[in-house]
Amino acid sequence: DKIHIKKLTRNYGTITNHKTILSDANSSFENFNSINNNTNGTMTLSGSFINKIENSSNSDSIVLTGITGTLTNHGTYTQALNKFTNDGLVTNQTTGTIINSDSVINSSSGIIQNHNLITNDSTITNNGDIINNTSKTITNNNIFINNKLITNNGTITISHTNGNLTNNLTINNNLTIQNYGTLTIASAGTITNASTINNTKTSELINATFDVIGVLNNNNGATILNTGNMTNKTNGLITNPGIIDNRLSFVNNAIINTTGSILNKTTGTVTNNLTINNNTNGAIDNDGSMTISQTATLNNYATLINDSLLIDLGVIKNFKTGTVTNNNEFQVKNQMKNYGSITNNKTVKSYDNTIFENYNLITNSTSSMIETNYNFINKKLNATNTESIDLAGITGTINNSGTLLHNNNK
C-alpha cells in the first residue's frame, strides 16, 4: 500500500512499488541496488534521495561488487523538495513521468535514460550522461545546466520566461531542440545539430534567446530556424554546412564559416560585426536587411544573393569563385573588392570615402544603375592585390546594359 520514509532508509536489495512511496523533508533515502516503480506506482519524495554508484561503499559493510544503484520508473516520480543525486542508472520507461520541483544532480558516473517524459520545474545539473530517446520529451521550465553530455534523439523544450538551458560541454541534437526561453552555449560548450533547432519568439513581450559563446556545428541536412534573437558572441564559432533560416535577429560578433545556406527572410535582420566566410558551396540569400558593420568582413567564395537591402559599412571581398547577384539595393559605404562576378539587376551605390575595386567582372543589366560617389577602380590585366589572388589572364571588365553614374573623385 504505502511506504512512508520519515528518517533514513537504505536499500541493498530490491524494492518494487505498486502504489505509494513518500518521504518527509528531513529524511534520507539511499538506493544501493534496485527500485522498480511500476505503472500505477507513485514516488513523491520531499527528502534527499541518492541513487548510488556501482560498488558503493556503505556503513553496513555490505559487499556490492558489480551492483549499481538502479531506479526503473514506469509510473510517476516527483522530487518535491531537497535533492535527488544520481550516481547510478535511472531509466524512465515508456509509461514513466519524472517531475523535478527542487534539485536533480546527475553526477559524473550517473546515467539518465528517458523513454517518455521528464519535466524540470526547478534545477537540473548534469555532470554525467543524459539520453533522451527517440520521440521522447524533456521539458525544461527553469534551470538546466549541462556539464558533460546530453544526447537528444527526441524533443527538448525550453519554455518561455524562465526556461534556461546552459551547455558547458556537449549536446548532440539528433531530432529537435525547441527553445522559447534562453539557450546558451558557454565558452567550453559545443552543440552539434544533426536535425532541428527552433529558436522561437512567443509574443511581442517574450522573446527567445540563443547565444553562442562556444561552438555551434549545424551539420549538413540540419536546420536552425530563428524567429527570436540569435547571437554569435565574442569568441563564438558557428560552422554551418546546413541551413540557418533567420526571420528576426541574427547578430555575429565572432566567426561564421558556412558551406551551407544562410537564409535571411523578409522579416529578418543580419548584422555582421566580425567575420562571415561564405565558403565553397555556400549560399547567402538576403530577403531582409543585412549589414556588414565597420569592424566586419564578409568573404564570399560562393553565392551571395541580395533581394532586399545589403549595407557594406566594413569590407566585402568577393573572391574568384564568388558570385554576387544584386536584385534590389546594395550600398557600399566603405570597401568592396570584386575578384569574381557581380551581377546588378537594380541599384548599386557607393558613398563618400569608399573604395570600390573591380578585378574581374561586373555586369550591369538593363534598367539597372551603378552609382559611384568616390574612388572606383576597374583593374588592369593580371593586377596585383593584397589578397595575393592569382589573376593571370583576368582583366577588370564592366558589361553595361543599364546606367553607370560616377559623381565624384576618380
Side-chain angles (χ1 to χ4, degrees), residues 293-330:
S293 71
Q294 292 178 337
T295 57
T297 301
L298 169 60
N299 296 314
N300 183 49
Y301 297 88
T303 301
L304 170 60
I305 300 172
N306 176 47
D307 293 316
S308 185
L309 177 61
L310 174 59
I311 302 173
D312 174 23
L313 299 171
V315 178
I316 295 178
K317 298 177 185 178
N318 188 44
F319 288 85
K320 279 174 68 175
T321 56
T323 63
V324 175
T325 303
N326 176 52
N327 297 319
N328 205 325
E329 185 174 356
F330 179 12

Side-chain angles (χ1 to χ4, degrees), residues 333-347:
K333 295 189 173 183
N334 189 43
Q335 188 175 73
M336 173 73 207
K337 292 185 177 183
N338 178 45
Y339 299 107
S341 172
I342 296 175
T343 300
N344 178 43
N345 295 317
K346 194 167 184 183
T347 303

Side-chain angles (χ1 to χ4, degrees), residues 164-186:
N164 191 322
L165 193 159
T166 301
N167 178 45
N168 293 315
L169 200 57
T170 303
I171 296 176
N172 295 322
N173 178 48
N174 300 314
L175 196 59
T176 303
I177 296 176
Q178 178 63 65
N179 178 45
Y180 299 106
T182 301
L183 173 59
T184 303
I185 306 174

Side-chain angles (χ1 to χ4, degrees), residues 252-369:
N252 176 48
N253 295 326
I255 296 173
I256 298 174
N257 293 318
T258 181
T259 53
S261 297
I262 296 177
L263 309 176
N264 188 40
K265 297 295 178 64
T266 55
T267 55
T269 299
V270 173
T271 304
N272 176 35
N273 294 321
L274 196 62
T275 305
I276 296 176
N277 296 312
N278 188 36
N279 294 319
T280 303
N281 298 319
I284 297 175
D285 189 350
N286 177 44
D287 295 325
S289 174
M290 185 172 187
T291 301
I292 314 302
S293 71
Q294 292 178 337
T295 57
T297 301
L298 169 60
N299 296 314
N300 183 49
Y301 297 88
T303 301
L304 170 60
I305 300 172
N306 176 47
D307 293 316
S308 185
L309 177 61
L310 174 59
I311 302 173
D312 174 23
L313 299 171
V315 178
I316 295 178
K317 298 177 185 178
N318 188 44
F319 288 85
K320 279 174 68 175
T321 56
T323 63
V324 175
T325 303
N326 176 52
N327 297 319
N328 205 325
E329 185 174 356
F330 179 12
Q331 300 178 2
V332 178
K333 295 189 173 183
N334 189 43
Q335 188 175 73
M336 173 73 207
K337 292 185 177 183
N338 178 45
Y339 299 107
S341 172
I342 296 175
T343 300
N344 178 43
N345 295 317
K346 194 167 184 183
T347 303
V348 174
K349 182 178 180 179
S350 71
Y351 289 74
D352 289 347
N353 301 311
T354 60
I355 299 172
F356 196 150
E357 297 177 344
N358 178 45
Y359 292 82
N360 200 332
L361 177 63
I362 295 175
T363 301
N364 191 39
S365 66
T366 305
S367 302
S368 299
M369 175 178 284

